[in-house]
C-alpha cells in the first residue's frame, strides 16, 4: 500500500497555527503540497513547517492489525521507541528522542487537536513478588479503523504550544469523518492465531533426585541437580494456541452541510495461557455540520470502549503459571496435577485445597520456595481487569471573515481501571499474608480530565510577498486522579471475594495483607499562548511561539506561573536557487525551544506541615504522610518547574520527480530541574537529616533521525515503494544532585518501577542497570575461591549496562502488482544490554539447558580467572573446571538484588526481526451494494534474523520510567498469522 509517510521538517517553534492549506503562489511550491496536522489540530503545508514531523496514514495502521494501534508503529517512524508490556490490551511505552525526565518521558496524546490523558491503572513493577499485571491504557482501547492519520511531533519545538504536557513531543491522532457526497459502509474482520516461541531453554535429562539413593524421591526438592533420567517437557503441552478475532463495522455519509461517521468494533482474544481471555467493545461517532451560510462549523465526536480480561500474565514468579512449570522438579509427574485434578476437598473445612507436589498430606507447604499448581493459580488466584473509557469533544468554529476564524473547543475524557486478584484459602502461605480464609487484592484507578480553549486563527494577506499566519488563545485543563488500593487477608467467610466480606477491625498496622489506601490528586493548568508564522515569497519562513502556564502544582512554592518560547526558521532552497532538474525540492530548517513542566499533583503540600497530611491520603484510617519534604530555607533548593531546552536542525530533499524523499534531523535537548527524592544523612548548612525532594538533575539527549523513501517503480501494473527509517540517540546524566549538597557523585537514584536494578548516576545514562558483578583483580581477572567458584562483588551495586538501543532501523517495503499487494517490515534495534531474572533463577534450580550442558561437559570453564587472595593458591591462574552445581548456585538466584551474580545474566539487546508481513488481493465487485473487497494473509512478529537474549528485549514488565531492560518472568514472545477481510459497500 502506498505510504503516507511524510518525514517532514522540523526545527523549531512549534506552533499551532496556520490555517487550512493555502493556495500556492508559485509553481515551484506545487512540488510539496502535502498538508499535515500540527499542534492544536491546525493543518499546514509541509513546506512551511520549521520542525520535524512524520505522518502515518490510517490504512497503514490497519494493514496488519494489532489490538493496540501503537504497536503498528514500531519500525515505521524514526526515533520512536515502543516497548510493549504483557499481551493483548496491555499498554505500550512510547519514547521519542530518548528519555528526558525521571517522572515521565512519554509524549502527549492528542485527538483531533485536543489533548487527552492516556490514563492507566497501577503499573507492574520489576519484582519477583509482583502481584498485578499491566492493566492497559486509553490508547489500547481505540479502534485502529477509526483513525485517519497519526502525526508524530517529536521535539519541543513542534509541540511547544501544548505547554508542559508536550515537552516530550506529541502524537496527534486524527479520527475519521464522513465524506461529502457519498454514503458507504465498511466491514473488516481479521482472525489470527498466536503461538509462543523463543521460550526459555529448559533441560529434561537431569532429575531432581537420584533413584539409586534410598529415601530420595520426586518432589522432595525443588532443585533439579540429581541423577540423569527421563523427564517430560510439560511446558509445550501447557501452552495453547491463542486466537484474536477483530471485527469493525463503520457507516459514513455526508453532503455539503453535514457529514457523519459511526463505527462499532469488537476484539476477542484467547491467550496462549489457558483460561486467559480478553474482550473489548468499541463505539465511535463523529458529526461535522455547517450553519449560517457555512460560516459556523460544529464538529462533535465521541469514543467509548469497554475492556474485560482475565488471567493476564503478571510479571514475577509469585502468580506465574509458567514459572511453576519452569521450576517443576524434574521427575515429578505433572499429569497427576492437571486441570481436572488441581485440588481436592479438605474434609476438615470442606474447602477446596491445593493438590501439588509441594503440598504435604496435611496441606502445609514444604517451602522450597513455594510454587503453586499452574491450574490452581488460574482457577483459585485469578486476576481480572475491567477498563472503561469515554472521550467526548466539541469544536465550534466561526469564520469572521475570509482570513480570520474564531474557534471554541472542549473535551472531557474519563477512564476507569479496576483490577482484582482473588487468592483462595490453601494458597501458598506467603501469598495469603497470614490469612486463613483467603485474600483479596484490588486496585481501582479513575482518571478524568476536562480541557477547553478559545482560539483566534488568522492568515491575513499582508502583501504579494509576505504571508502571515497567527494563533492567539487561552486554555484551561483540569485533571483528577482517584486511586483506591485494597489488600485484605481477613475475609469473614472463606473464598467470598466481596468488599463487604472484608474485616477491618483487626488489631494491626497497615502492611501486606492489610491495606485500604485512598487518595485523590487534582491539578489545573491555565494558559495563554500565541504563535506567528511569517513567510516571504514562499521561500523563507519564521515561526515564533509564546506560552505562559499557571500551574496549581506550584502552589505554596512562591510562584505559580512560568513562560517559555520557541523560534524556528526555514529556507526553501529550491525556490531561492535554480537547481539541477534532479532536485524537485530542498529545504533547510532550524529551531530552538524551551518548555516548562510543573510538579506532580498535590506534592507541594509537603512544603507546609499543615497541608502535608493531604499530600497522599489515608490507609485503613491512618493518615499516610509523605516520607519526604522540601527544603524551604535555601533559595537554590526551593522547587521550581522542570525545563527542557531543545535545539534542532535538519534538511529535506525531494528528487527524481519526487520519487526519492530524504529527511534528516539533528537535535540536542537538555532537561533540567528534575524533581529527585534523596536522603541527606548529616546536618549540612542547617538542613536536618532526612529525606527530601530536590530540584536538580540535568539529562541531555543528542542524536539524529532520518527517513528515506524511494518509489522504485510507480505504475498501475507494478509499484514498489521502499522506506528506510534510521535514528540514534545518546543519553547522558550531566547533573544529578546540587553541588551545594554533600551528596557523593557515586550516589545512585532509583527509578520508579525499576525494582532494585534501574538507577541513575552522575555521568551515566537513563535506565542504567546496576547489580552484582564478578569480583576481579586489578588486571580484570575473575577471582575464584579455593574450589574454583567465582566470587561476587559486595557493597554498593555495580554498573551492568544500559538497555536502550544505540541505533534503531526500520526497513519497510510495499509492492503492488495490479490488484495484488505485498508488504513487509523489518526493524532492528542495535546495542544495549538487558538482564534476565528468569535465566538467573532457572540456573539456580538446575532446570535450564545451560546447566545440563555444563554437567555434560564435566563442569564450567571460567576464562581469565585467578584464585582470590586468602586462598592457598592466591594469585595463581585457575585453569580447571568448576562443578556445575557449585557454579550456578553461586551465580544464579531467585530473589532481587543481593542474590547470585547479575553480570552472568546480562545479554546483548540487539534484535533484527521480521516485524510484519502481508499479502492482499483486492476484488473490484462493483455490484449494486458492494464496491470492492480485499482479502489478506497477515503475520506479525514472525521471526528474528538476530537475537542473542533469551527473551524479547522489547518487552517490559511495566509502563514506568524504570521498567525497561529486565526480564522478570514475563510472557513469552508470540507469533501471529491469520486472515483478514475488508469489504466496502
Amino acid at each position: 500500500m502506498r505510504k503516507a509517510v511524510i518525514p517532514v521538517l522540523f526545527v523549531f517553534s512549534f506552533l499551532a497555527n496556520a490555517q487550512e492549506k493555502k493556495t500556492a503562489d508559485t509553481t515551484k511550491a506545487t512540488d510539496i503540497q502535502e498538508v499535515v496536522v500540527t499542534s492544536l489540530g491546525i493543518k499546514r503545508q509541509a513546506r512551511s513547517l520549521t520542525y520535524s514531523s512524520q505522518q502515518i496514514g490510517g490504512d497503514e495502521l490497519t494493514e496488519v492489525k494489532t489490538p493496540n494501534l501503537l504497536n503498528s508503529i514500531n519500525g515505521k517512524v524514526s526515533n520512536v521507541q515502543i516497548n510493549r508490556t504483557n499481551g493483548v490490551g496491555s499498554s505500550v511505552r512510547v519514547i521519542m528522542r530518548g528519555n528526558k525526565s525521571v517522572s515521565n518521558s512519554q509524549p502527549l496524546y492528542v485527538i483531533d487537536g485536543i489533548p487527552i490523558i492516556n490514563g492507566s491503572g497501577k503499573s507492574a513493577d520489576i519484582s519477583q513478588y509482583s502481584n498485578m499485571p499491566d492493566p492497559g491504557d486509553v490508547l489500547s482501547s481505540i479502534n485502529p479503523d477509526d483513525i485517519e492519520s497519526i502525526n508524530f511531533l517529536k521535539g519541543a519545538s513542534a509541540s511547544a504550544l501544548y505547554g508542559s504536557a508536550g515537552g516530550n513531543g506529541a502524537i496527534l491522532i486524527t479520527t475519521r469523518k464522513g465524506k461529502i457526497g457519498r454514503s458507504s459502509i465498511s466491514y473488516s474482520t481479521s482472525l489470527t492465531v498466536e503461538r509462543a516461541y523463543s521460550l526459555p531453554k529448559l533441560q529434561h535429562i537431569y532429575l531432581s533426585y537420584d533413584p539409586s539413593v534410598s529415601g530420595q524421591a520426586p518432589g522432595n526438592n525443588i532443585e533439579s541437580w540429581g541423577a540423569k533420567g527421563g523427564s517430560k517437557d510439560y511446558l509445550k503441552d501447557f501452552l495453547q494456541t491463542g486466537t484474536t478475532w477483530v471485527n469493525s463495522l463503520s457507516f459514513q455519509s455526508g453532503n455539503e452541510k453535514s457529514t457523519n461517521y459511526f463505527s462499532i468494533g469488537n476484539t476477542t482474544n484467547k491467550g496462549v495461557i489457558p483460561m486467559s481471555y480478553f474482550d473489548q467493545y468499541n463505539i465511535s461517532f463523529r458529526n461535522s455540520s455547517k450553519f449560517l451560510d457555512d460560516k459556523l462549523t460544529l464538529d462533535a465526536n465521541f469514543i467509548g470502549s469497554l475492556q474485560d480480561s482475565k488471567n493476564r500474565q503478571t510479571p514475577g514468579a509469585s502468580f506465574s503459571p509458567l514459572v511453576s512449570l519452569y521450576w517443576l522438579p524434574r521427575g515429578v509427574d505433572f499429569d497427576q496435577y492437571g486441570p481436572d485434578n488441581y485440588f481436592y476437598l479438605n474434609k476438615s473445612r470442606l474447602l477446596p485445597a491445593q493438590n501439588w507436589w509441594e503440598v504435604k498430606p496435611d496441606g502445609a507447604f514444604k517451602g522450597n520456595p513455594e510454587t503453586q499448581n499452574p491450574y490452581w493459580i488460574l482457577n483459585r488466584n485469578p486476576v481480572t481487569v475491567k477498563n472503561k473509557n469515554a472521550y467526548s469533544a466539541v469544536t465550534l468554529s466561526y469564520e469572521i471573515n475570509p482570513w480570520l476564524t474564531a474557534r471554541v473547543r472542549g473535551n472531557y475524557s474519563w477512564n476507569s481501571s479496576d483490577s482484582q486478584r482473588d487468592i483462595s484459602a490453601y494458597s501458598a502461605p506467603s501469598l495469603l499474608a497470614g490469612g486463613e480464609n483467603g485474600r483479596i487484592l484490588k486496585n481501582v484507578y479513575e482518571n478524568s480530565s476536562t480541557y477547553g480553549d478559545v482560539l483566534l486563527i488568522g492568515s491575513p494577506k499582508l502583501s504579494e510577498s509576505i504571508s502571515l499566519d497567527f494563533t492567539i488563545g487561552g486554555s484551561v485543563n483540569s485533571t483528577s486522579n482517584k486511586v483506591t488500593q485494597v489488600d485484605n487477608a481477613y475475609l469473614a467467610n472463606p473464598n467470598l471475594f466481596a468488599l463487604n466480606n472484608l474485616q477491618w477491625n483487626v488489631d494491626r498496622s497497615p502492611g501486606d495483607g492489610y491495606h485500604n489506601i485512598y487518595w485523590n490528586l487534582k491539578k489545573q493548568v491555565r494558559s495563554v499562548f500565541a504563535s506567528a508564522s511569517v513567510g516571504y515569497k514562499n521561500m523563507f519562513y519564521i515561526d515564533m511561539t509564546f506560552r505562559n502556564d499557571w500551574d496549581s502544582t506550584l502552589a505554596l512554592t512562591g510562584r505559580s506561573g512560568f513562560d517559555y518560547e520557541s523560534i524556528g526558521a526555514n529556507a526553501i532552497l529550491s525556490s531561492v536557487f535554480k537547481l539541477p532538474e534532479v532536485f524537485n525540492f530542498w529545504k533547510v530548517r532550524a529551531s530552538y525551544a524551551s518548555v516548562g513542566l510543573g510538579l506532580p499533583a498535590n506534592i507541594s503540600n509537603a512544603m507546609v506541615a499543615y497541608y502535608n497530611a493531604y499530600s497522599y491520603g489515608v490507609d485503613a484510617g491512618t493518615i499516610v504522610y509523605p516520607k519526604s519534604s522540601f527544603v524551604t530555607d535555601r533559595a537554590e533548593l526551593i522547587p521550581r518547574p522542570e525545563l527542557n531546552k531543545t535545539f534542532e536542525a535538519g534538511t529535506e530533499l525531494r528528487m527524481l520527480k519526487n520519487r526519492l524523499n530524504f529527511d534528516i534531523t539533528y537535535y540536542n535537548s537538555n532537561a533540567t530541574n528534575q524533581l529527585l527524592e534523596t536522603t541527606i544523612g548529616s546536618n549540612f548548612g542547617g538542613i536536618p537529616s532526612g529525606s527530601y525532594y530536590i530540584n536538580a538533575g540535568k539529562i541531555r539527549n543528542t542524536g539524529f533521525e532520518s527517513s528515506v523513501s524511494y518509489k522504485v517503480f510507480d505504475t498501475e501494473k507494478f509499484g514498489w515503494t521502499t522506506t528506510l527509517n534510521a535514528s540514534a540517540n545518546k543519553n547522558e546524566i550531566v547533573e544529578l544532585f546540587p553541588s551545594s549538597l554533600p551528596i557523593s557523585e557515586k550516589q545512585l537514584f532509583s527509578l520508579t518501577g525499576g525494582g532494585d536494578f534501574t538507577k541513575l548516576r552522575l555521568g551515566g545514562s537513563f535506565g542504567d542497570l546496576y547489580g552484582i558483578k564478578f569480583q576481579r583483580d586489578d588486571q580484570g581477572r575473575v577471582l575464584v575461591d579455593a574450589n574454583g567458584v567465582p566470587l561476587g562483588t559486595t557493597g554498593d551495586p555495580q554498573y551492568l549496562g544500559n538497555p536502550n538501543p544505540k541505533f534503531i532501523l526500520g526497513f519497510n517495503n510495499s509492492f503492488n502488482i495490479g490488484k495484488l499487494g505485498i508488504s513487509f517490515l523489518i526493524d532492528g534495534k542495535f546495542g544495549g544490554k538487558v538482564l534476565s531474572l528468569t535465566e538467573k533463577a532457572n540456573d539456580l534450580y538446575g532446570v535450564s539447558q545451560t546447566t545440563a550442558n555444563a554437567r555434560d561437559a564435566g563442569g564450567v570453564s571460567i576464562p581469565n580467572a585467578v584464585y582470590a587472595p586468602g586462598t592457598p593458591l592466591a594469585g595463581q591462574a585457575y585453569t580447571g573446571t568448576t562443578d556445575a552445581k557449585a557454579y550456578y548456585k553461586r551465580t544464579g538466584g531467585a530473589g532481587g538484588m543481593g542474590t547470585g551474580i547479575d553480570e552472568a545474566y546480562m545479554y546483548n539487546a540487539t534484535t533484527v526481526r521480521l516485524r510484519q508481513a502481508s499479502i492482499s488481493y483486492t476484488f473490484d465487485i462493483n455490484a449494486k451494494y458492494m464496491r470492492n473487497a480485499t482479502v489478506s494473509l497477515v503475520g506479525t512478529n514472525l521471526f528474528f534474523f538476530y537475537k542473542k537474549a533469551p527473551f524479547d528485549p522489547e518487552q517490559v514488565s511495566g509502563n514506568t520510567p524504570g521498567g525497561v531492560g529486565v526480564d522478570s518472568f514475563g510472557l513469552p514472545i508470540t507469533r501471529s498469522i491469520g486472515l483478514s477481510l475488508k469489504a466496502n459497500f
Side-chain angles (χ1 to χ4, degrees):
M1 302 182 74
R2 184 167 298 180
K3 298 250 166 239
V5 172
I6 305 178
V8 201
L9 339 343
F10 114 154
V11 293
F12 155 77
S13 144
F14 146 61
L15 149 119
N17 68 274
Q19 260 316 17
E20 302 293 322
K21 171 181 172 183
K22 297 167 69 175
T23 304
D25 294 330
T26 68
T27 56
K28 289 185 179 180
T30 60
D31 292 336
I32 178 170
Q33 292 301 313
E34 296 94 339
V35 172
V36 293
V37 178
T38 66
S39 300
L40 302 182
I42 299 172
K43 296 179 180 179
R44 297 186 60 187
Q45 283 188 22
R47 66 178 291 124
S48 69
L49 300 183
T50 63
Y51 48 81
S52 175
S53 73
Q54 198 164 350
Q55 184 164 297
I56 297 291
D59 289 341
E60 197 165 357
L61 296 173
T62 57
E63 189 174 24
V64 180
K65 284 188 178 181
T66 58
N68 190 318
L69 65 93
L70 290 178
N71 280 324
S72 303
I73 304 301
N74 242 322
K76 297 180 181 179
V77 183
S78 64
N79 219 350
V80 176
Q81 182 180 347
I82 298 177
N83 296 97
R84 49 191 181 81
T85 50
N86 260 323
V88 174
S90 297
S91 62
V92 295
R93 181 178 184 271
V94 180
I95 300 296
M96 301 195 291
R97 294 185 179 176
N99 295 278
K100 305 176 186 68
S101 174
V102 299
S103 55
N104 180 28
S105 292
Q106 295 211 62
L108 172 69
Y109 295 93
V110 179
I111 296 181
D112 296 325
I114 308 178
I116 68 164
I117 303 298
N118 187 31
S120 63
K122 180 175 171 46
S123 294
D125 291 333
I126 300 174
S127 170
Q128 179 183 345
Y129 309 104
S130 182
N131 53 38
M132 285 294 195
D134 175 89
D137 56 13
V138 172
L139 268 297
S140 68
S141 69
I142 294 180
N143 185 356
D145 285 308
D146 294 337
I147 306 302
E148 183 72 30
S149 66
I150 300 181
N151 196 19
F152 293 79
L153 305 182
K154 303 170 192 173
S157 298
S159 55
L161 278 189
Y162 281 120
S164 59
N168 297 319
I171 296 179
L172 313 184
I173 300 171
T174 302
T175 61
R176 294 189 186 276
K177 58 185 348 182
K179 292 182 172 56
I180 296 175
R182 188 176 71 185
S183 296
S184 63
I185 300 174
S186 293
Y187 171 70
S188 68
T189 182
S190 69
L191 177 64
T192 58
V193 294
E194 292 91 29
R195 289 291 295 174
Y197 74 107
S198 192
L199 297 163
K201 295 181 179 179
L202 304 174
Q203 66 89 8
H204 302 282
I205 59 174
Y206 285 93
L207 303 175
S208 60
Y209 67 104
D210 188 342
S212 64
V213 178
S214 176
Q216 291 196 13
N220 287 348
N221 196 316
I222 193 173
E223 297 177 356
S224 296
W225 290 105
K228 265 197 170 184
S231 180
K232 186 178 176 182
D233 181 0
Y234 297 103
L235 178 62
K236 292 182 179 179
D237 293 336
F238 178 79
L239 293 170
Q240 63 185 18
T241 298
T243 58
T244 301
W245 191 18
V246 182
N247 292 279
S248 180
L249 179 65
S250 65
F251 306 81
Q252 56 180 317
S253 64
N255 54 39
E256 296 295 331
K257 294 295 184 181
S258 180
T259 61
N260 293 280
Y261 176 88
F262 173 78
S263 77
I264 53 175
N266 167 248
T267 299
T268 301
N269 169 263
K270 181 186 74 172
V272 295
I273 293 178
M275 301 187 63
S276 64
Y277 69 82
F278 170 85
D279 264 332
Q280 174 174 287
Y281 296 90
N282 305 83
I283 186 171
S284 174
F285 175 73
R286 185 173 182 182
N287 170 268
S288 183
S289 301
K290 295 181 179 181
F291 307 91
L292 304 179
D293 295 328
D294 297 345
K295 291 182 177 294
L296 181 66
T297 301
L298 174 66
D299 190 272
N301 64 332
F302 173 81
I303 300 173
S305 68
L306 298 174
Q307 292 181 340
D308 187 5
S309 68
K310 183 176 182 179
N311 286 331
R312 185 177 294 174
Q313 180 75 353
T314 299
S318 296
F319 292 100
S320 171
L322 298 182
V323 172
S324 293
L325 290 171
Y326 295 164
W327 298 352
L328 182 72
R330 302 307 186 247
V332 171
D333 181 10
F334 178 66
D335 291 334
Q336 64 179 309
Y337 305 110
D340 299 323
N341 197 30
Y342 67 88
F343 74 94
Y344 66 93
L345 185 66
N346 181 279
K347 295 181 180 180
S348 63
R349 301 189 64 189
L350 298 179
L351 293 175
Q354 186 168 177
N355 183 29
W356 188 228
W357 69 267
E358 203 177 8
V359 178
K360 300 176 184 178
D362 62 357
F365 274 70
K366 300 173 183 177
N368 281 309
E370 303 155 348
T371 64
Q372 298 195 106
N373 188 315
Y375 292 103
W376 178 273
I377 293 174
L378 297 172
N379 286 278
R380 298 295 178 177
N381 298 163
V383 60
T384 57
V385 180
K386 298 180 183 296
N387 293 337
K388 301 175 183 178
N389 302 291
Y391 169 85
S392 58
V394 176
T395 298
L396 197 62
S397 182
Y398 184 75
E399 184 182 284
I400 300 173
N401 57 45
W403 60 268
L404 185 63
T405 299
R407 189 173 296 175
V408 179
R409 310 181 306 178
N411 75 0
Y412 176 76
S413 59
W414 173 87
N415 64 85
S416 171
S417 178
D418 186 342
S419 304
Q420 179 169 320
R421 184 180 293 279
D422 303 334
I423 305 175
S424 294
Y426 292 101
S427 294
S430 63
L431 304 181
L432 286 171
E436 295 182 350
N437 290 339
R439 179 184 176 191
I440 185 171
L441 298 166
K442 189 177 184 67
N443 295 329
V444 180
Y445 279 60
E446 183 179 345
N447 308 299
S448 63
S449 70
T450 304
Y451 176 90
D453 64 25
V454 178
L455 304 175
L456 193 63
I457 305 168
S459 55
K461 184 175 181 180
L462 301 183
S463 71
E464 294 297 327
S465 301
I466 299 175
S467 63
L468 170 65
D469 294 309
F470 68 84
T471 300
I472 300 173
S475 66
V476 177
N477 191 5
S478 300
T479 60
S480 174
N481 309 98
K482 298 178 181 179
V483 178
T484 302
Q485 295 180 359
V486 174
D487 180 355
N488 191 298
Y490 301 96
L491 279 64
N493 298 291
N495 296 346
L496 177 58
F497 301 102
L499 295 182
N500 60 1
N501 188 46
L502 302 181
Q503 301 179 82
W504 294 105
N505 57 347
V506 181
D507 185 17
R508 60 168 292 182
S509 300
D512 286 344
Y514 192 79
H515 279 294
N516 189 357
I517 302 173
Y518 174 81
W519 68 86
N520 187 356
L521 306 178
K522 295 182 179 181
K523 68 176 291 184
Q524 186 177 91
V525 180
R526 301 176 183 179
S527 310
V528 294
F529 47 82
S531 68
S533 177
V534 180
Y536 177 71
K537 291 186 175 180
N538 273 359
M539 296 186 297
F540 303 99
Y541 295 90
I542 296 177
D543 284 352
M544 296 166 286
T545 70
F546 170 84
R547 180 174 176 123
N548 195 97
D549 286 347
W550 290 272
D551 194 329
S552 65
T553 65
L554 295 173
L556 308 176
T557 66
R559 63 181 300 174
S560 59
F562 50 96
D563 63 271
Y564 34 88
E565 300 77 31
S566 73
I567 184 170
N570 74 35
I572 314 299
L573 299 183
S574 52
S575 296
V576 177
F577 305 106
K578 183 175 178 58
L579 301 176
E581 290 187 4
V582 69
F583 293 95
N584 303 107
F585 181 82
W586 185 14
K587 178 173 75 174
V588 294
R589 59 189 186 266
S591 67
Y592 177 83
S594 64
V595 178
L597 179 64
L599 302 174
N602 291 34
I603 200 170
S604 62
N605 287 337
M607 297 187 65
V608 179
Y610 177 77
Y611 293 106
N612 66 10
Y614 304 98
S615 296
Y616 284 19
V618 296
D619 185 354
T622 301
I623 295 178
V624 180
Y625 290 92
K627 66 178 182 179
S628 300
S629 59
F630 287 96
V631 179
T632 58
D633 56 354
R634 294 275 294 273
E636 76 276 15
L637 299 179
I638 292 178
R640 54 196 182 278
E642 186 176 312
L643 189 63
N644 181 11
K645 298 180 179 180
T646 300
F647 169 78
E648 47 186 87
T651 186
E652 181 182 355
L653 278 168
R654 295 188 172 224
M655 305 170 64
L656 304 175
K657 297 182 180 180
N658 290 321
R659 290 172 61 187
L660 176 63
N661 302 327
F662 173 72
D663 185 289
I664 187 168
T665 299
Y666 164 82
Y667 60 88
N668 182 315
S669 72
N670 290 276
T672 58
N673 298 341
Q674 304 274 325
L675 187 66
L676 307 177
E677 192 172 8
T678 188
T679 299
I680 298 178
S682 60
N683 193 291
F684 176 78
I687 302 175
S689 301
S691 182
Y692 294 93
Y693 294 111
I694 302 293
N695 260 123
K698 181 178 181 180
I699 299 177
R700 175 179 297 155
N701 284 278
T702 57
F704 81 90
E705 58 201 25
S706 62
S707 179
V708 180
S709 179
Y710 182 49
K711 295 179 181 178
V712 185
F713 297 98
D714 189 20
T715 66
E716 289 186 5
K717 292 185 177 181
F718 182 65
W720 174 19
T721 299
T722 183
T723 303
L724 185 68
N725 293 298
S727 61
N729 183 78
K730 180 181 179 181
N731 181 281
E732 183 180 2
I733 311 299
V734 180
E735 177 187 317
L736 198 52
F737 297 105
S739 57
S740 60
L741 293 178
I743 300 175
S744 170
E745 293 184 356
K746 298 180 180 181
Q747 174 76 35
L748 298 177
F749 173 80
S750 297
L751 282 175
T752 301
D756 296 325
F757 300 98
T758 310
K759 315 282 186 183
L760 294 184
R761 180 176 175 177
L762 183 65
S765 296
F766 197 100
D768 283 345
L769 300 176
Y770 283 80
I772 298 174
K773 301 182 70 172
F774 290 106
Q775 277 194 38
R776 289 181 167 84
D777 63 9
D778 294 340
Q779 300 179 43
R781 297 176 296 184
V782 175
L783 298 179
V784 299
D785 63 17
N787 297 318
V789 179
L791 302 177
T793 55
T794 57
D796 294 335
Q798 306 293 307
Y799 173 74
L800 298 173
N802 186 283
N804 294 302
K806 295 180 173 61
F807 185 71
I808 301 176
L809 191 69
F811 181 50
N812 205 351
N813 287 266
S814 61
F815 305 84
N816 65 278
I817 307 170
K819 300 183 185 305
L820 178 68
I822 302 173
S823 70
F824 66 88
L825 170 64
I826 298 172
D827 78 272
K829 294 180 171 65
F830 303 88
K833 297 287 185 180
V834 290
L835 170 65
S836 176
L837 301 183
T838 306
E839 292 296 315
K840 185 179 174 184
N842 290 349
D843 280 358
L844 174 70
Y845 296 133
V847 296
S848 68
Q849 184 61 45
T850 301
T851 63
N853 294 341
R855 280 174 272 188
D856 289 343
V860 179
S861 297
I862 306 175
N864 195 28
V866 297
Y867 286 98
T871 60
L873 301 176
Q876 295 187 28
Y878 175 68
T879 58
T881 56
T882 304
D883 177 72
K885 181 177 180 180
Y887 180 87
Y888 289 110
K889 293 281 283 185
R890 177 65 56 83
T891 61
M897 182 77 72
T899 62
I901 299 177
D902 303 304
E903 183 183 1
Y905 301 97
M906 295 296 295
Y907 301 91
N908 185 349
T910 296
T911 57
V912 181
R913 78 183 78 199
L914 181 58
R915 171 76 62 181
Q916 64 181 45
S918 70
I919 301 175
S920 63
Y921 190 85
T922 299
F923 298 88
D924 286 333
I925 299 174
N926 294 322
K928 182 177 181 180
Y929 294 113
M930 179 179 286
R931 291 184 291 121
N932 55 58
T934 300
V935 179
S936 304
L937 174 66
V938 298
T940 58
N941 255 342
L942 293 171
F943 59 84
F944 288 90
F945 295 99
Y946 182 93
K947 181 177 75 73
K948 292 297 184 182
F951 64 100
D952 186 357
E954 186 176 282
Q955 183 166 301
V956 297
S957 295
N959 194 351
T960 57
V964 178
V966 181
D967 167 35
S968 182
F969 311 96
L971 189 69
I973 310 167
T974 56
R975 174 192 293 117
S976 66
I977 299 175
L979 292 171
S980 70
L981 166 69
K982 183 173 184 179
N984 295 311
F985 301 89

